[in-house]
Amino acid sequence: MIDEKTIQIKLQLINYELLMTTSPMSENLYEKLSYQISGLLESSFLVIYLFDQWTNSFFLKTKNIQQNRILLNQMIYDPTLTYRRAIADEQKLRINDNDLFTVSSSHMNYQLIPLKPTNGPIGMMVVGMENGSAISEGIQQVIRKEVELLLDYIYIIEQRDKNEKKNQVLFDMISHFLNLKTKTEIFTEIITALKKVYPNFDFYLHLSQEYEKNTDLPVKLLEIRNDVQSSSSTAFLTAEIQIENQLDANMTYVYAPLAGQQGVYGVLQIIIPKLLDIPKAEVDYISRFANAAGKAIESTTLYLNSKHLVSDLTMINDLIHQLNSNLNLTEITKIIRNQIMLLCAPEEIGFVYNIQENTRLFETLEGSTAFFDTVEGKGFIKYLLGEVELQQEAIFSGEFKLKSEDIPFRSIMAIPMENSGSINGLVIILHRKPYAFSFEQYKLLQSILRHSTLAFINTILKEKLQKAASTDYLTQLFSRNYLDKKIVEHMKNGEYGTLILFDIDDFKKVNDTYGHYIGDEVIKQVAEIIMSTIEDRDIPARWGGEELAVYLPNTEIDEAVQVARNIGDQVESFTEPRVTLSAGVSSWSNKRKITPKSFFIHADKALYEAKGFGKNCVVRYSVDENTDELIRE
C-alpha cells in the first residue's frame, strides 16, 4: 500500500485533472472521482453520499456502480450493519471528526469515511475492500481532507450557478413587472417565477386587499383573527418571515410578507412537503423575492388607485353638475339611485330623511325600494337611525345580524347624509349575500353622498318651502292660489277636467255651539276624508273659510259627481260633531272652450244651488252644445 504523502499528491492531481476536464456541475464528476480513487486504493468499489437538506436525506452521487451492486444494496439496506447507526447520526447532523470505522463481513471490509467540508453539505464515502485488505486511518484522513477540499470548491461553483439562475428568475420577474398593469398579471408573474425556482413546492398569495376572484391563481384573502395569532398574520403584522414546521403533517410552511415602501400588502405562503431546516441563504432569497413582489403589488395598486381616483373624481364632478342643475327631489334621488346600482348592484336601496333633528321621525323618499315601506322595513330604519346617531358614523358590514329580528340581509351599508355636523338622513343599501359590497365601494359611496348631501338637503328644504307656500296651514291641503294655478296650466295643455266645490253646512252653528277650536277640528276632519278618498293625481285645496275644493284632471263629470257623493257620505258618517256637505261640480273640455274664470263661476253657481236645495246634496253645472243647466244629483 502506498504511503500517505504519495496518496495526497495523487489525489491532488486527480482533483486538478477532474476540474480541468469536467464541469463541477456535471454528475459525471462524482463518477470519475469515485473511479479514480477506487483505482488508487485498489478497492472493489467506492461510493459517495451527500446530505440533501431539501429532502432531509443522504443522496447517492455515484449511481452507475456495476460491480458488487447486489452486495452494496445489501449493505445499504441491512439494518444490522453497524454503519446504519452512523447514517442515522448523519441525518441528525451530528457528525464527528473521528467517525472513521470499518465493518467486516465474510467477503469484504466496508470502510466509511465521513465528509464534513467547510462549505456545503456533509457526506460520506463508503469503500469496499476485499477481506485481508484495509485502508489505514492515516490514509483515510488524507482522502477525507482532499475530497472535502474538492467538495468545498464544487459547492461554491454549484451555489454560484444556482444563485445566478435564481437571481435571473428574480431579475426577469422584476423586468416583466414594468410592463404589467393589472393585479392579475402581477400575481400570474409571481406564481410563474416561484414555480421556476421551487418546482416541487406549492404556493399561495394571501392578500390584505380585494382582488379579482374569477381566476385560477392560488390567491386568497388574508384572514387576521384577534383570537388566533397565526404565522401568516404574524408575518403580515411584523413584516418578518415566519417558518412553521408541522410535525403531524410532516410539512414546512414559510410565510414571507409582501412588503412595499408604504406597507405590507399580503403574505407569500410556500408549502414544502417535508420537515426541513431551511438554509439562511434560502430564507434571504425568499425575503428578497417577496419584497420584489410586494413592491410590484404596491406599484400596481397605487397605479390602479390613481386611475380609479381620477375616474371617481370625474364621476363625482359630473354628478355634482347634474345635482346642481335645479332638479327636483325625485330627479335627484333617481340619479343617486342609478349611480348606486351601477357601483354595487344592491337588492334594496332606501333614502331616508329625518323630519326633525335628533329624533327618529323620518320619511322614506321616493326612489326607495318597496322593502322600506313595509312594517319590517320601517322598523329596520328606526334601528339603523338609532345606531348611526349613537355611533356617529356609518354602518358597513358583510355579515350583519340582528339578535331581536330576523333580517335576511347580510351585507349592509348605512351611510348618513351629514350637513353642518347634523345627520339629516340615511342612504341604506342592502344585499342578502354576505360580503356583497367591497370596502372600496363603501368609501366611494361615502364620498358621493358627502358631495350630494347638500343638494339633497337644499332640494328637500326648497320643496318644503314651496309646499308651505302652496299649502293651507290648518288642513295641509293646497292653497287656493296653487289650485288656481294648476287648473289654468291643465286647461292649456290637457283635454278635460272637473272641479268640485264643498261647503260645510251650517258651519256658523258649529262655531257658535262648540267654539272656533272645534270648528277648526271639523274642517281638518273633512280635509282628511277628502285626502283619503281622492287619487294621487287629484288636487285638493282649501277654497276659503269652510269651503274646500278638489280638481280632478282628466275626469268626466259623472265620475266627479260620484266622488263628491262618497265624500259627503263619509263626512256625514265620520265627523265629530257630525256635519254635512253641499257640493257643486263643474267641468270643462277642449271640445267646448271656456275660460278658467267661467269654469270657477260654474262650480260656484252649482254650490250656491246645492245650498238652496236644502243642503247636504250635490249639484252639477251641466254644459252641452246648446244650454247650460244646474242639475241636483
Side-chain angles (χ1 to χ4, degrees):
M1 177 68 68
I2 57 178
D3 58 47
E4 296 173 12
K5 186 64 177 178
T6 303
I7 286 287
Q8 182 180 18
I9 293 172
K10 289 189 175 184
L11 280 175
Q12 289 174 349
L13 290 172
I14 288 171
N15 290 349
Y16 178 79
E17 182 180 356
L18 281 174
L19 292 175
M20 290 297 101
T21 60
T22 308
S23 169
M25 303 303 297
S26 172
E27 290 290 334
N28 292 333
L29 185 142
Y30 293 97
E31 304 290 349
K32 292 179 180 181
L33 177 64
S34 299
Y35 179 78
Q36 295 276 14
I37 297 176
S38 181
L40 185 64
L41 299 175
E42 298 179 352
S43 65
S44 296
F45 70 88
L46 186 149
V47 293
I48 297 174
Y49 288 89
L50 293 180
F51 187 79
D52 183 5
Q53 195 168 12
W54 289 109
T55 60
N56 200 28
S57 63
F58 283 92
F59 184 75
L60 181 63
K61 302 296 289 186
T62 49
K63 299 180 180 178
N64 60 346
I65 302 299
Q66 299 297 329
Q67 298 176 347
N68 299 316
R69 178 168 288 280
I70 296 176
L71 182 60
L72 178 62
N73 288 339
Q74 289 175 349
M75 181 189 72
I76 292 172
Y77 294 109
D78 183 354
T80 64
L81 293 175
T82 306
Y83 85 96
R84 283 285 292 185
R85 177 176 54 79
I87 293 176
D89 286 343
E90 294 279 351
Q91 289 174 323
K92 297 174 185 176
L93 306 182
R94 294 203 303 266
I95 185 168
N96 298 317
D97 289 339
N98 297 320
D99 283 336
L100 302 170
F101 57 87
T102 302
V103 180
S104 298
S105 68
S106 58
H107 300 291
M108 189 169 293
N109 291 335
Y110 304 103
Q111 294 183 279
L112 185 143
I113 304 175
L115 302 171
K116 191 177 181 183
T118 303
N119 300 296
I122 60 174
M124 65 181 71
M125 183 182 294
V126 181
V127 185
M129 304 291 290
E130 293 182 359
N131 278 345
S133 300
I135 308 171
S136 69
E137 183 174 333
I139 290 178
Q140 289 187 55
Q141 292 289 10
V142 170
I143 294 172
R144 175 179 184 179
K145 177 183 177 182
E146 296 302 325
V147 172
E148 285 178 346
L149 288 173
L150 179 65
L151 292 178
D152 270 333
Y153 180 78
I154 292 173
Y155 176 77
I156 291 171
I157 299 300
E158 285 180 340
Q159 288 304 113
R160 185 185 67 187
D161 184 71
K162 289 179 181 178
N163 289 336
E164 285 180 356
K165 290 180 179 178
K166 291 195 296 184
N167 288 333
Q168 185 62 46
V169 171
L170 184 56
F171 176 80
D172 290 342
M173 180 182 75
I174 295 172
S175 299
H176 293 160
F177 284 157
L178 299 175
N179 299 318
L180 304 179
K181 300 300 182 184
T182 69
K183 289 184 180 180
T184 299
E185 291 174 332
I186 295 292
F187 301 155
T188 302
E189 185 64 30
I190 293 170
I191 298 301
T192 301
L194 283 168
K195 288 180 178 178
K196 289 179 182 178
V197 180
Y198 305 114
N200 299 319
F201 301 162
D202 293 323
F203 320 97
Y204 282 98
L205 297 175
H206 297 266
L207 303 176
S208 60
Q209 299 178 348
E210 291 290 328
Y211 62 94
E212 295 180 25
K213 299 181 181 179
N214 57 343
T215 68
D216 296 326
L217 295 171
V219 179
K220 297 180 179 179
L221 194 63
L222 180 67
E223 294 184 6
I224 298 179
R225 295 172 54 187
N226 294 328
D227 56 335
V228 178
Q229 191 68 16
S230 64
S231 296
S232 60
S233 60
T234 300
F236 177 77
L237 295 172
T238 63
E240 296 179 356
I241 283 186
Q242 304 294 313
I243 298 175
E244 177 183 336
N245 290 312
Q246 292 194 3
L247 299 178
D248 54 343
N250 194 34
M251 306 279 273
T252 300
Y253 296 90
V254 180
Y255 298 93
L258 298 165
Q261 297 291 342
Q262 299 184 11
V264 180
Y265 296 87
V267 174
L268 165 62
Q269 180 189 30
I270 301 176
I271 304 172
I272 304 170
K274 56 181 66 64
L275 295 174
L276 181 64
D277 288 327
I278 303 174
K280 181 180 182 304
E282 208 66 42
V283 174
D284 292 341
Y285 178 79
I286 293 171
S287 178
R288 288 191 293 123
F289 187 102
N291 286 337
K295 288 182 175 65
I297 294 172
E298 177 180 74
S299 177
T300 305
T301 300
L302 294 175
Y303 169 74
L304 294 175
N305 286 347
S306 66
K307 285 188 65 177
H308 289 159
L309 183 60
V310 171
S311 176
D312 293 345
L313 289 174
T314 302
M315 180 267 291
I316 292 173
N317 186 55
D318 293 341
L319 188 66
I320 297 306
H321 277 300
Q322 292 183 67
L323 298 180
N324 290 334
S325 58
N326 201 28
L327 301 176
N328 60 38
L329 186 59
T330 300
E331 292 169 331
I332 288 177
T333 307
K334 183 179 179 181
I335 290 172
I336 301 297
R337 175 193 171 108
N338 290 343
Q339 196 63 60
I340 293 173
M341 292 299 297
L342 286 173
L343 286 174
C344 57
E347 292 182 339
E348 305 286 352
I349 302 177
F351 297 91
V352 179
Y353 181 73
N354 274 6
I355 294 176
Q356 188 173 341
E357 187 178 339
N358 298 324
T359 71
R360 297 186 193 176
L361 298 175
F362 63 89
E363 62 178 292
T364 305
L365 302 180
E366 186 177 346
S368 303
T369 51
F371 168 75
F372 296 98
D373 286 328
T374 65
V375 174
E376 182 185 33
K378 291 182 182 300
F380 194 38
I381 290 172
K382 287 184 179 179
Y383 167 80
L384 293 176
L385 281 170
E387 288 296 302
V388 170
E389 288 170 4
L390 179 65
Q391 300 175 17
Q392 288 296 301
E393 63 181 23
I395 297 174
F396 173 65
S397 175
E399 190 55 61
F400 183 83
K401 289 183 181 179
L402 268 180
K403 295 181 180 179
S404 58
E405 298 180 50
D406 185 20
I407 297 293
F409 304 103
R410 290 294 166 261
S411 294
I412 173 174
M413 292 187 282
I415 304 174
M417 292 188 286
E418 295 181 87
N419 184 41
S420 300
S422 299
I423 296 177
N424 299 101
L426 282 181
V427 176
I428 305 169
I429 303 165
L430 307 174
H431 203 293
R432 286 175 174 80
K433 180 182 175 182
Y435 301 103
F437 310 131
S438 69
F439 184 72
E440 286 75 12
Q441 291 171 336
Y442 162 67
K443 297 302 291 183
L444 179 55
L445 285 175
Q446 269 193 320
S447 181
I448 288 173
L449 292 174
R450 190 176 296 116
H451 285 85
S452 59
T453 292
L454 187 59
F456 257 118
I457 303 307
N458 287 343
T459 304
I460 290 172
L461 293 176
K462 176 183 174 182
E463 293 193 358
K464 284 181 176 291
L465 289 172
Q466 289 176 339
K467 185 176 180 181
S470 61
T471 302
D472 176 65
Y473 174 78
L474 178 65
T475 62
Q476 297 303 302
L477 301 179
F478 289 109
S479 66
R480 167 75 180 272
N481 288 339
Y482 182 83
L483 177 68
D484 291 349
K485 177 182 175 183
K486 289 298 180 181
I487 291 175
V488 171
E489 288 177 359
H490 191 244
M491 290 183 74
K492 289 180 180 178
N493 304 314
E495 296 182 0
Y496 56 93
T498 309
L499 176 65
I500 306 173
L501 289 183
F502 293 104
D503 183 81
I504 302 174
D505 296 328
D506 301 319
F507 185 71
K508 186 175 181 303
K509 290 183 179 180
V510 174
N511 281 335
D512 292 343
T513 304
Y514 300 101
H516 288 279
Y517 176 80
I518 298 300
D520 288 345
E521 290 298 311
V522 168
I523 294 174
K524 288 166 63 176
Q525 291 175 41
V526 173
E528 290 172 1
I529 291 172
I530 291 174
M531 287 290 294
S532 66
T533 305
I534 63 176
E535 297 181 2
D536 291 340
R537 66 177 183 177
D538 301 333
I539 304 172
R542 188 175 183 185
W543 191 260
E546 68 272 21
E547 292 184 350
L548 308 174
V550 180
Y551 178 66
L552 297 84
N554 301 325
T555 303
E556 298 287 353
I557 194 168
D558 290 340
E559 184 180 348
V561 167
Q562 187 58 49
V563 171
R565 286 175 178 166
N566 291 341
I567 292 172
D569 291 343
Q570 291 188 60
V571 167
E572 187 174 8
S573 300
F574 298 110
T575 50
E576 180 62 39
R578 187 178 70 86
V579 295
T580 60
L581 295 179
S582 296
V585 183
S586 69
S587 65
W588 70 271
S589 170
N590 56 14
K591 293 179 180 179
R592 184 182 180 189
K593 296 290 185 179
I594 63 171
T595 64
K597 181 178 180 181
S598 298
F599 181 49
F600 298 146
I601 291 173
H602 293 168
D604 195 49
K605 283 185 177 180
L607 176 60
Y608 181 80
E609 288 298 322
K611 303 291 276 187
F613 280 132
K615 307 174 184 178
N616 194 20
C617 64
V618 179
V619 172
R620 75 163 77 184
Y621 190 100
S622 180
V623 179
D624 58 32
E625 292 186 1
N626 300 315
T627 61
D628 298 344
E629 60 177 335
L630 297 167
I631 303 173
R632 181 178 179 181
E633 300 292 336

